[in-house]
Amino acid sequence: MIDKALSGDVRAIARLISEVESETPRSEEIMRAMYPHTGRAHIIGVTGSPGSGKSSLVSKMIGTLRRQGKTVGVIAVDPSSPFSGGAILADRIRMQEHSGDPGVYIRSMGSRGSLGGLSKTTYEGALILDACGKDVVIIETVGVGQSEIDIVRIADTVCLVLVPGMGDDMQIMKAGIMEIADLFVINKADREGADKVAAEVRLMIKMFHTGDGWIQPVKMTSAATGAGLDELHDTIEGHLKHVRSSEEGAERLKKRLQWEVEEIVRRRIAKITESAWRERREERVIEKLLNKETDPYRVAQEVLDSAMGDFRSGQLL
Amino acid sequence: MSDRKIRVVVAKPGLDGHDRGAKVIARALRDAGMEVIYTGLRQTVDQIVDTAIQEDVDAIGISILSGAHHHYFKAIIEGLAARDASDVIVFGGGVIPESEIPDLVKMGAGAIFGPGTPTSTCVKWLEGAVAEKRKAE
C-alpha cells in the first residue's frame, strides 16, 4: 500500500491518510516510510475567520496552479463537534470544479478536539501528500478567531484571509493570528470597505515592521470573480523563494523539525500516561480523594511512577 | 488507542434542488459521531465517486427526489466497482416507491430509507453495516 501511494495511487494515498488520522498501530511505519520523500512540496496555509471565503479562494488557487502544470493536494479542516465527535465537512463544496482532475487531491478532516485550527494529524496528512508527489499542498484551517495559530508551525507560507466589515484597526493590531501571516489577503475586494481594510493593514505593517527580512505583502482578491488571483499566486511564489533562500527560512525549517520531534514525544507521553491513569482510576482512588486521604498531586505522581515501566520498555499502545 | 471514525459522503445527484432531507441526515450522522463530507446539490456520478475515493469513506448516502433513483444507484455502484471500491456502502433515501426498493437492493444498495424514517433508524443501520464491512477488511 505504501509503494502504491508513493507512486500516486489515489485510493492508497487516501487509505494511508486514514490510517494516520486514526492513529492506528501502522501509522508510525507509514510516516517513517514517507519521510525520505518529503520536503519537496510547497506547503501553503490558508487561514481566516469563518465565511471569509477561504474555500473559494483555495479553489481559485488550485486553478492557477493547475494552469501551470503543478499538481495540488488540499487538506481542508472543519470543526468536529465537542459533544458527539462528529463533523460536517463541507469545504469541498466550493472546490467542485476540480473534481475529476487527476492532478488534484482534496481531503477533508475534522479537527477532532484540537483547538489550534488544525487537527492533530493534519501535518502528517500534508507530509503524505508531499511524499506522494504533489507539487503544492494547501492546508485550509478551520474558520478561526484570534489565536488559532498551529498553521504557522507547518506551512512554508501562511496566508491570512481578511474581509471587510470585521472590525476596526485595533483588531488588526492585536496579537495572535495577525502575527503569523506571511501575507495578508483581503478577500471579497469587490465589497465596500475592502480598500479601508487593506490600508489599515498596510499602515500597521509599515508602523511595526522592524529590521530587514520579509515584509508582508497585502493582496486584494475576489474569489467570486477571480480578480487578483494571479498576483496572489506570484506573491506566494515569491515568498517560497524567500523561505528557501534566506536565513529566516532556514530558521523556520529548523524550528519545524524541532517542533515535530517534540510533538511526537508529547503524544507518546500522553498515550502512555493516559493509559496508566485509566488503569488506576478506580472507585477506590476517587473515594480516597473525596475523603482527602490523598491529594491529586500524589495520585498524579503514582500514575507517572507506574507509567515509567512502559516508557522504559518503549511499549506503545 | 486508535479512533477510527465512520466517514460518510452525503450527496445529491442530479438536478432536483431540494436538499432538506440530505441536510437532516447529514446532521443526524454528525450527531452520532460520524464525519460527514457534505457535497451539496447537483452532483454528477463521477464527482460523487471521486469524492468517496479521495475522502476514503465507509459509505455514500444519496438523496434522490427526482425519480431517477434507478439510474443513479446503478451508475454510482458501477462507478465504485470500476475504481476497485466496491467495499464502499451505498445507501439512500428520498422519494422512492416501495416496490422498487428490492431492485435497488439487488443492484447493491445497502438500504433505502423512505420519507418519515426516524433518523435513528438510519444511524443504527449504518453503524451496523460499517461494523460488518470493517470486520471483512
Side-chain angles (χ1 to χ4, degrees), chain A residues 1-20 26 30 34 92 101-102 104-107 128-129 132 134, chain B residues 4 7 9 48-60 76-90 133-134 136-137:
Chain A
M1 178 114 65
I2 288 173
D3 290 335
K4 262 173 108 180
L6 285 171
S7 69
D9 181 90
V10 177
R11 187 121 218 256
I13 293 172
R15 276 283 155 88
L16 291 194
I17 294 177
S18 299
E19 293 259 1
V20 170
R26 283 195 63 212
I30 292 166
M34 293 295 126
R92 266 192 106 88
D101 178 351
V104 179
Y105 176 90
I106 300 167
R107 178 69 175 232
I128 290 173
L129 294 178
C132 296
K134 297 292 178 232
Chain B
R4 193 166 164 201
R7 288 168 65 86
V9 169
I48 294 170
V49 172
D50 252 5
T51 299
I53 287 178
Q54 292 187 10
E55 299 283 0
D56 191 28
V57 295
D58 301 287
I60 299 174
I76 289 171
I77 288 164
E78 285 177 0
L80 287 169
R83 304 275 300 266
D84 195 23
S86 291
D87 56 312
V88 175
I89 298 160
V90 181
K133 164 182 177 278
R134 287 185 178 173
E137 273 173 14

Side-chain angles (χ1 to χ4, degrees), chain A residues 281-298:
Chain A
R281 191 181 51 196
E282 311 151 4
E283 210 39 49
R284 207 156 37 87
V285 178
I286 306 293
E287 196 71 27
K288 271 186 176 173
L289 280 167
L290 270 174
N291 299 333
K292 301 257 187 281
E293 288 165 34
T294 182
D295 62 78
Y297 293 89
R298 180 181 291 180

Side-chain angles (χ1 to χ4, degrees), chain A residues 298-310:
Chain A
R298 180 181 291 180
V299 176
Q301 187 56 49
E302 286 164 8
V303 170
L304 287 175
D305 289 344
S306 80
M308 281 316 277
D310 293 340

